[in-house]
Amino acid sequence: MTSVLTVREQAETSEAARKVGGYAELMRLQDERRAIKRRGKVAKLVREPQTGRFKYIAVA
């Protein structure tokens, strides 16, 4: 798979990945968010207090 990103998009993606703990974590969060939205719910980003990892939860 090839993706062409502008310099700005690359910088935004890198910053987001650093905030959540890496590119793999960013992809995991993206998958979680999509799965929740497919069920017709609203996804809310929260941080687990025990582990410090981010995750999406379904609301409404």
Side-chain angles (χ1 to χ4, degrees), residues 6-49:
T6 65
V7 173
R8 180 177 173 193
E9 290 170 330
Q10 289 174 2
E12 290 170 352
T13 302
S14 296
E15 182 181 346
R18 278 192 295 277
K19 284 182 181 180
V20 299
Y23 189 73
E25 286 293 301
L26 189 63
M27 295 295 98
R28 179 186 60 79
L29 289 169
Q30 179 180 341
D31 292 343
E32 283 181 7
R33 184 178 55 86
R34 283 184 179 162
I36 291 170
K37 287 191 173 199
R38 267 190 238 115
R39 294 192 310 252
K41 305 283 184 178
V42 176
K44 179 180 177 185
L45 185 63
V46 297
R47 188 174 220 158
E48 293 180 348

